[in-house]
């Protein structure tokens, strides 16, 4: 509802502005093009305002609500000492032979806290609440107004029809003559009712012409009947209903009250033009006099053809009747104004959240889908990157049921172990990183560029980093001198194209008796290469507590918590401390892994079924290896990603997915 | 007994019965046709006048039977069929409508109802006179 409210609010503001401009220009426009032309323009405007284009347009990209990444902000703030000392972007070289990494990462605690995304925490929480409140007020106002207007109309209609009788034969004759004068006019049902004081038309699909009970058709009858039949021919009652709905929809917007009032007046004038076309200009005086006499009937019900105007409005209407200047057709101006209205809607549609249906070809069941986030307070950085990337990859090439590694048969036996890996969609490129069981300080990067025909190992000596971690976290002291082993555990190894790749690993110290070992955690490290693995840059090292600002270290022990889309953008399914109430978060980097920020999933969460529970638990990433997830990807374009979601209590599962590098998100239930 | 005598007798019978009740739409529709005709009608004549409702003969007969039971309609044998007469005049029935929920809601006045829901622009006599002058001026200028 919040999304709908925002959509209509923005659309209403822009179209209201356009309507006010139209009101300001209506005098000259009417003189030049006539009331019928202006009435059509009002209709287009009302139709544009009635449709929340932002929501009905399919797959409109919506920016994720995030502030600029931490690293960018830090760079802007200047070069303070702490920043200079940070280890990220530090070049290390990985030759084809084992090397010793000598880089000495600084204390991760020295890293300044990343600025909070967008707005302060309190405001972040208050904004949705306020928006919810406003949305509820708006919706309540809409329903109350609609209920009142339609309810009173239906009551009056019932009252009028129950008391109606067949009219005198003279009225039937007058109507027949009036219909004869208007080619193609279908005579409506004619009734005499005590509920009306003048002639008026009502009913949308079965129109009824009501005449006052006990009244015989006077000399004004031909003019008034021509007017009512013109209303019928022009389907003006539908237009009036649309204007009434507009007023209810934008009840809080004074511009729309003014616009609908002007549109209703223009509609009457347009009907006058149409009626005079039938009657002939020579009866203009007679028609105007009939209108003036009809105006004495006073109030008329809404959504009928009756009109109720102020003296000033009726004066203007009479003046328009006598404006005999030739009118232009105004097609070009119509087209321009319609284009303006459509552009306004288009701008709104492209400016924020959208809702689209789940992919038709999906193998998972249809459920809720939604794009992410309300309009961002600041422009989201470009997420697509510049490098050409694969449209998805296979992830985590672990042992399959037949004992093979992924689809690659007969892999080097040394590759099997504790590892992470990837493969390109065509299987030509693949990589695994595994840990030497005997010497936990060494990792081996296995790469192939020929579909697994040959594998090249590259050793990565992590002993230096582990020594740093041992000192930083006091592994020796905390293990009370018990013998243990420091290990670097690979968590994620993925290339997005043959050149750009990521390696994520974390340090750990295990001690105590075998099979019942205790574990002390070290740091998480994110490395990036842009030259196919020849050189690696440390993009991040630390315990992850600064990533989501929840005050505790990040947990990356679940399967595939990372997924990278290109040289800049990547996502992390963050598992933080449960006691903070922010256990499950989705984080995003836009600088290759150095800075991380939360992704606002509020818009998606609003549309989730109750069983899913909140906040949305984003568990991990699925690559092409998982068929249901693969079905959600669009392999014709890069930037597809699928994350699994699950409520650990109810077991309810789903997928969170994107086709545009995470610009917009959708959610679908998983069978 | 002539037709007027029959009507009077039936009316007395009706008055002895329960107080007048508001009729459902379908029954009111039949009463309206009988009132509009101003004379007794056969079932076939009623059917013809109510073609728009597309009722079957049995539906119409059932509705007439109900109206007769309520005392709103009387029937008189004529040949192989019956002639149906409205026992109650429309003027006698209309106050019943005003006592209905709808009537009570708006004081039984359609004007009140309209006033409750309508655009509330009402022209005064002075404004109408002024507009008549303006119209005269337009006419003169037009010529």
């Amino acid at each position: 509802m919040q999304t709908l409210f925002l959509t209509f609010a923005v659309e209403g503001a822009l179209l209201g502005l356009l309507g006010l401009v139209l009101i300001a220009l209506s005098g000259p426009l009417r003189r030049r093009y006539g009331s019928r032309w202006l009435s059509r323009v009002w209709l287009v405007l009302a139709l544009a305002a009635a449709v929340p284009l932002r929501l009905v347009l399919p797959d409109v990209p919506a920016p994720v609500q995030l502030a600029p990444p931490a690293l960018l902000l830090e760079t802007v703030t200047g070069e303070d000492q702490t920043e200079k000392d940070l280890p990220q972007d530090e070049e290390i070289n990985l030759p084809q032979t084992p090397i010793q990494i000598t880089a000495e990462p600084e204390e991760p605690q020295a890293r300044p806290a990343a600025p909070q995304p967008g707005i302060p925490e309190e405001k972040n929480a208050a904004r949705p609440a306020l928006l919810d409140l406003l949305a509820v007020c708006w919706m309540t106002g809409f329903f109350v107004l609609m209920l009142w207007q339609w309810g009173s109309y239906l009551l009056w209609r019932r009252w009028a029809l129950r008391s109606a009788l067949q009219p005198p034969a003279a009225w039937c004759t007058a109507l027949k003559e009036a219909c004869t004068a208007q080619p193609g006019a279908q005579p409506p049902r004619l009734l005499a009712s005590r509920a009306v004081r003048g002639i008026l038309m009502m009913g949308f699909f079965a129109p009824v012409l009501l005449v006052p009970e006990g009244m015989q058709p006077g000399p004004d009858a031909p003019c008034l009947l021509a007017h009512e039949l013109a209303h019928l021919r022009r389907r003006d009652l539908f237009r009036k209903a649309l204007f009434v709905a507009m007023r209810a929809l934008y009840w809080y917007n004074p511009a729309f009250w003014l616009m609908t009032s002007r549109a209703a007046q223009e509609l009457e004038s347009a009907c006058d033009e149409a009626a005079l076309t039938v009657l002939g200009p020579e009866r203009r005086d007679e028609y105007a006099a009939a209108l003036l006499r009809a105006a004495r009937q006073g109030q008329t019900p809404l959504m009928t053809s009756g009109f109720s105007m102020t003296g000033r409005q009726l004066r203007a209407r009479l003046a328009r009747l006598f404006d005999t200047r030739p009118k232009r057709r105004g097609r070009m101006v119509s087209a321009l104004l319609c284009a303006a209205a459509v552009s306004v809607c288009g701008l709104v549609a492209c400016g924020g959240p959208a809702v689209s249906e789940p992919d038709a070809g999906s193998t998972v069941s249809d459920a809720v889908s939604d794009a992410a986030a309300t309009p961002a307070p600041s422009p989201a950085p470009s997420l697509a990157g510049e490098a050409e990337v694969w449209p998805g990859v296979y992830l985590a090439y672990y042992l399959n049921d037949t004992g093979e590694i992924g689809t690659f048969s007969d892999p080097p036996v040394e590759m099997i172990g504790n590892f992470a890996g990837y493969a390109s969609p065509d299987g030509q490129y693949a990589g695994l990183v595994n840990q030497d069981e005997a010497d936990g300080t060494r990792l081996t990067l296995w790469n192939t560029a020929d579909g697994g025909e040959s594998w090249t190992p590259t050793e990565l000596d992590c002993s230096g980093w582990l020594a740093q971690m041992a000192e930083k976290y006091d592994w020796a002291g905390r293990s009370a001198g018990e013998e243990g082993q420091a290990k670097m555990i690979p968590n994620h190894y993925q290339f997005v194209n043959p050149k750009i790749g990521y390696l994520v690993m974390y340090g750990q110290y295990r001690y105590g008796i075998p099979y019942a070992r205790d574990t002390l955690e070290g740091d998480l490290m994110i490395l990036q290469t842009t030259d196919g693995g020849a050189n690696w840059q440390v993009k991040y090292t630390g315990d992850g507590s600064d990533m989501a600002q929840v005050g505790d270290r990040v947990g990356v022990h679940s399967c595939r918590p990372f997924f990278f889309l290109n040289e800049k953008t990547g996502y992390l399914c963050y598992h933080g401390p449960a006691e903070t109430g922010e256990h499950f978060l989705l984080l995003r980097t836009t600088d290759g892994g150095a800075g991380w920020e939360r992704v606002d999933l509020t818009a998606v969460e609003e549309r989730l079924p109750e069983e899913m529970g909140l906040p949305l638990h984003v568990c991990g990433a699925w690559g092409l290896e998982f068929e249901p997830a693969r079905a959600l990807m669009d392999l014709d374009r890069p930037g597809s990603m699928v994350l699994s979601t699950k409520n650990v209590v109810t077991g309810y599962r789903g997928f969170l997915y994107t086709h545009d590098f995470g610009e917009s998100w959708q959610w679908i239930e998983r069978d | 007994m002539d037709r007027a005598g029959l009507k009077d007798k039936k009316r007395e019978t009706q008055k002895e019965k329960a107080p007048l009740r508001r009729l459902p739409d379908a029954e009111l529709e039949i009463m309206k046709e009988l009132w509009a005709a101003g004379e007794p009608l056969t079932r076939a004549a009623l059917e013809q006048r109510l073609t728009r409702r597309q009722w079957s003969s049995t539906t119409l007969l059932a509705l007439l039977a109900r109206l007769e039971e309520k005392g709103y309609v009387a029937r008189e044998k004529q040949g192989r069929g019956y002639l149906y007469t409205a026992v109650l005049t429309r003027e006698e029935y209309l106050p019943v409508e005003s006592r209905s929920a709808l009537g009570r809601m708006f004081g039984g006045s359609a004007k009140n109802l309209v006033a409750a829901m309508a655009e509330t622009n009402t022209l005064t006599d002075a404004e109408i006179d002024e507009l008549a002058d303006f119209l005269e001026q337009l006419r003169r200028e037009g010529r």
Side-chain angles (χ1 to χ4, degrees), chain A residues 504-573:
Chain A
V504 182
M505 53 196 181
Y506 58 92
Q508 206 173 63
Y509 184 71
R510 292 184 180 179
Y511 65 98
I513 57 172
Y515 310 111
R517 288 176 178 268
D518 289 316
T519 303
L520 295 173
E521 301 295 342
D523 275 338
L524 174 75
M525 299 187 71
I526 301 173
L527 280 68
Q528 185 194 50
T529 179
T530 54
D531 53 10
N535 293 286
W536 290 84
Q537 292 178 331
V538 178
K539 301 297 284 190
Y540 176 87
T541 178
D543 66 359
S545 58
D546 54 335
M547 284 178 155
Q549 298 288 295
V550 292
D552 206 346
R553 62 182 309 114
V554 64
V556 292
H557 308 290
S558 62
C559 287
R560 305 173 302 279
F562 285 92
F563 196 91
F564 292 92
L565 290 165
N566 52 41
E567 77 275 20
K568 299 196 306 189
T569 307
Y571 288 85
L572 164 59
C573 303

Side-chain angles (χ1 to χ4, degrees), chain B residues 102-138:
Chain B
L102 186 66
R104 283 198 303 276
M105 195 181 299
F106 296 99
S109 159
K111 189 181 171 188
N112 288 352
L113 173 54
V114 171
M117 61 176 280
E119 312 266 8
T120 52
N121 299 322
T122 310
L123 295 178
T124 61
D125 287 343
E127 280 177 315
I128 296 277
D129 292 341
E130 194 182 320
L131 285 166
D133 291 342
F134 177 64
L135 181 57
E136 191 54 38
Q137 183 191 335
L138 286 172

Side-chain angles (χ1 to χ4, degrees), chain A residues 158 161-162 189 213 308, chain B residues 23 25 32 52 90 97:
Chain A
R158 185 167 165 73
L161 287 180
R162 275 183 69 88
R189 191 177 164 210
E213 190 181 314
S308 182
Chain B
L23 292 173
D25 288 354
K32 280 186 195 174
R52 188 177 48 81
R90 184 164 179 259
E97 282 286 308

Side-chain angles (χ1 to χ4, degrees), chain A residues 171-183:
Chain A
W171 273 113
C172 299
T173 312
L175 179 62
K176 198 173 174 184
E177 285 171 6
C179 286
T180 312
Q182 299 207 21

